[in-house]
Amino acid sequence: MTNELMQRVEAHLNVIYPDQNCQDLSQQLVSTMGIAIDAKAPVPFTNLWDQNDIYLITYGDSLIDESLSPGQRPLQSLHHFIRNYLQQVISAVHILPFYPYSSDDGFAVIDYYQVNESLGDWQDIQAISEDVKVMADVVINHCSARSGWFENFKQGKDPGNDFFFTASPDEDTSLVVRPRTHDLLKQVITPDGSKYVWCTFSHDQVDFDFRNPIVLNEFVSILNYYLEQGITIFRFDAVAFLWKEAGTSCLNLPQTHEIVRLLRLLVEHKNPQAVIITETNIPNRQNLMYFGNANEAHAIYNFSLPPLLINTLVTGDCTHLKTWLMSLPPAQNGTAYFNFIASHDGVGLRPVEGLLSEEETDLLINTMVSFGGRVSWRALKGGRNQPYEINISLYDALSGTVNGPDSLQKQRFICAHAIMLGIEGIPAIYIHSFFGTQNDLERVNLSNQNRCINRHKWNYPELQGHLGNAFSHHAQVFEELTALIKLRKQQKAFHPNATQFTLHLGVQLFGFWRQSLDRRQSIFCISNVTCEPQPLSLADLNLIDMGDWRDLITGQTFTNVRECITLAPYQTVWISN
């Protein structure tokens, strides 16, 4: 253990806990993480990814099958699916919270050290990690109100008695940024009388108090435990809300950023290949801050991409998507954007604040509602509510345009993924996007939860039947999407940190240029984002007239760099040298 590491840990702690004995605390954290005495600092600005990295996002029980063997567990079904369908497609799997929980489909964690027995056990997680990298959620802002820690809090016992953030109901919390509409504080009776616990997300999700260093040490212990189980990628859930301070928004506070930097420092000294990804569903500029100076998150969720891309494809106008892409700073080496266009949550609307006008946002919302979507709300100052996210499956979100449904749903859906797979960053694909899963309105009605619309649970044998039927749209989507991914993985110009420039081809054609880090390959990525054929003049791309250029997707070769071609509705071309 180097003195340099101890000094760096202590420096972070001095910012977070200026009134604490940070020398002793730094020794405790390093010991809890189990960092070897001879551990070396990782080389800074090192990319731990390349163009072969594709993530799968899934719940542990998105596939349910008891036919493979008696007592088949969902995590084993997931492993079977990865081995038999995605072995050459993905490099990592994000298994959404697989711990015992009480609500929010896993994000109200009861016990961070256990696997939900209805899903499987740690051996199942370890088995998956032998085939692909595993990303696990670190639900760091809050835990379940039914957890052992909170039960101890209510009884005035340790551990847990001082784990949770409390505030007076008379305190002015009007500046606090809220993602929900319920009351912020929850009254709890304890041996010391009534206390009011802070609940950012729901009254079943009670917020931790990181002003207590014991809470920080507990999460260091959790991270170390996950590393020992074979997990190497960590998603810090809702981390932007972590630190609370009276008279502030309680969002993105300096101590929050300092804690992320500290946890990264400890994790990467334990395992230099480990990756931290921050999940911060907030306006774009605030989100970018979590890169730090390549010393905070390795990757950040690119939250503005889903709503902007959907908006582009339903309006047939790429103006806002193009403007956003031009404003996106290149991620420096050692950091990357984490790109996704569908997930277990809804399509966030906060990330397009300042990017779409109120009228444009309303049109997007109304279009999604007409395709079967739902809207979730958040509370604003003064008791007003504002749309927070749209809840809809991506396949149904692309059912048509602002003019209504049409017959180009699948083409529009594949176009969305072709764009995501091409832009700078690491692509992550929700399991239901592989199949073109549609809105699950039955689950919404049964659960009374809008987000369940996009959390379908497939009967695995039934799904396999669909995937074996060439006439099924599920099979067609799976075949086209996996073929596109395999093609992408072969292109060095699609390295997550490869050079990117936005092209100006009007509003009907969305385009950008990628160049490999060794400058040996260029790819011009152009998509027709409309429901009508669109002309593309190759002269507008300024292709160098040396050798043939070829569309990687169709194989079409272009010998005349000044010819004009026509792109079918929602067709994408990857023109490469």
Side-chain angles (χ1 to χ4, degrees), residues 75 134 147 168 177 259 298 304 398-400 485 496 513 537 541 560:
L75 284 173
V134 172
S147 67
S168 167
V177 173
I259 287 173
H298 291 88
S304 297
L398 299 174
S399 296
I485 291 170
W513 173 74
S537 172
L541 304 182
N560 180 2

Side-chain angles (χ1 to χ4, degrees), residues 81 85 434-435 460-470 472-479:
F81 173 69
Y85 289 89
F434 275 109
F435 320 130
Y460 191 22
E462 179 187 350
L463 175 63
Q464 288 175 302
H466 285 298
L467 295 180
N469 178 3
S472 166
H473 89 267
H474 301 297
Q476 294 167 5
V477 165
F478 184 80
E479 181 178 352

Side-chain angles (χ1 to χ4, degrees), residues 63-74 77 118 459-461:
L63 306 176
I64 300 174
D65 177 18
E66 297 180 353
S67 66
L68 294 177
S69 63
Q72 179 78 15
R73 295 180 291 205
S77 297
S118 69
N459 177 290
Y460 191 22

